[in-house]
Structure formats: C-alpha cells, structure tokens
Amino acid sequence: MKKFALALASMLLVLSAAGAVAAVPSKTTTDVTRVKAVESTEPTMLIEVTEDAAPVVEEIEKIYQHVAVKGQAAIAYFPVETQNEIIALLPEGVKGSALTMNEFVTLTTEGTAADVKVTFTFTTRYTVDQKVVVVIGLYDGTRDANGQYNVEWVVLDAEVLESGDIAVEFPAELVERMKNAVATAMAVLND
C-alpha cells in the first residue's frame, strides 16, 4: 500500500509539472526580435516588430518550402529585379546564392512619416565583417490569379553594429508606403 501511495504521489507531481510547462507560452517573433533604437527628426515616428500578419505568415511558409524543402538559395525566392538590386549592394566576391535568410518579421509604423534609422536586435548575432541586406515587403492586401498575396519588394542596405545588432535607414517615402500597406515584412539576408 505504501508503494502504491508513493507511486501515485510521484505521478501527480510529474503531471502537475507537465501542466506548468504547458502553461508557459512558446517564444514568438516579438519575444526574440525587437527594435532597440529609433532615430528620426520626427519625434512621433516609430517602427516596431509585431506579431506576424496573415500575408507574412503565408510568405514565411512559401520561403520555407523554397529554401528548406526544395533546397533553393534564399535570394532566388525574390523576383529577378529584386535579386539584381540585392546583388548590386554586395561587395565584390560575395555571391547572391551564398546569402542566407535568418530573419523574416512583420513591421508596423506609427507617427508622421520621416527619414528614420532603426536598430534591430535579433536572436542571430551578426558580425561587423558580414554583409547584410534588408528586403522590405509591402502587401496591398490583394491576391494574384494564383491566390498569392501581391507584394512589392524594396531593397535597403543595412549595417551590422559592434553589438551584433543591425541598423537600417528607412527613407520617409518608404515609411509612408509602409504606413499605407496592409502589412509590411522585413527579410534580412546575410553572407
């Protein structure tokens, strides 16, 4: 009887611990990616990382299929024109096909559109010797004939800081377009 009581008590402890673990939510994009600093002449200007919007969730799945399942280069996911803009920002000797994509997040904007420099902190720690290019996806909420969300890609240069964070300068015109988009995504490609 004593053994049975001990076994029952042990089982209850294990089950209560499992319940406690299950009650802790998993990490989300906003848990591991954040805006560290926003520098702008417009004090109300704000760009933040937020939970993924529906078009971005679909895009992430397509990128995963393209890169992880089919084994294609991350840069090849984008239209040829976007690929050419990315390659134009790469230093000599760095091939677009060698770029990896470790980040794909949803951004939101608030305030009056202005030129803004944003410093992002990611789980991935980048090094100053790495070349980093950012691709902004602007979704208008419509779908094409194949049922895919329409997205316009805008390529921006980025800088890796000593801290491993990434600084990106957003021109006011792009910020205004981000404010008017149904959703905005940011992909980070690096060598």
Side-chain angles (χ1 to χ4, degrees):
M1 183 72 172
K2 200 174 196 184
K3 286 182 182 181
F4 177 75
L6 285 173
L8 183 60
S10 296
M11 189 178 298
L12 288 174
L13 281 173
V14 168
L15 290 175
S16 66
V21 169
V24 177
S26 63
K27 291 200 179 294
T28 64
T29 300
T30 55
D31 290 334
V32 296
T33 303
R34 64 183 177 85
V35 172
K36 188 173 189 176
V38 176
E39 299 172 29
S40 177
T41 55
E42 177 55 53
T44 64
M45 183 64 250
L46 186 62
I47 294 179
E48 294 183 310
V49 176
T50 188
E51 292 299 322
D52 289 328
V56 178
V57 171
E58 284 188 26
E59 204 77 47
I60 291 169
E61 177 58 30
K62 292 189 303 185
I63 292 167
Y64 176 80
Q65 290 295 318
H66 179 83
V67 177
V69 175
K70 296 179 181 174
Q72 301 292 315
I75 193 173
Y77 178 78
F78 298 100
V80 173
E81 181 179 311
T82 305
Q83 292 179 41
N84 291 336
E85 291 175 29
I86 293 167
I87 291 168
L89 293 176
L90 298 178
E92 192 172 320
V94 176
K95 294 184 178 187
S97 60
L99 297 177
T100 60
M101 183 188 312
N102 292 315
E103 324 295 345
F104 197 86
V105 298
T106 300
L107 300 178
T108 58
T109 59
E110 291 181 25
T112 304
D115 292 340
V116 61
K117 182 177 182 179
V118 181
T119 303
F120 295 94
T121 299
F122 298 101
T123 302
T124 305
R125 301 314 289 170
Y126 297 94
T127 59
V128 293
D129 61 330
Q130 286 182 296
K131 177 58 186 170
V132 177
V133 177
V134 166
V135 184
I136 302 298
L138 302 167
Y139 298 84
D140 66 8
T142 64
R143 293 182 182 261
D144 64 17
N146 297 322
Q148 306 297 317
Y149 279 104
N150 290 311
V151 59
E152 177 187 356
W153 301 106
V154 179
V155 178
L156 298 174
D157 204 0
E159 173 189 9
V160 179
L161 306 176
E162 290 288 333
S163 62
D165 297 333
I166 295 176
V168 182
E169 293 190 26
F170 294 83
E173 177 271 330
L174 176 59
V175 173
E176 185 63 36
R177 291 172 60 207
M178 291 167 65
K179 288 173 64 77
N180 294 323
V182 170
T184 301
M186 180 177 74
V188 178
L189 296 145
N190 65 279
D191 66 347

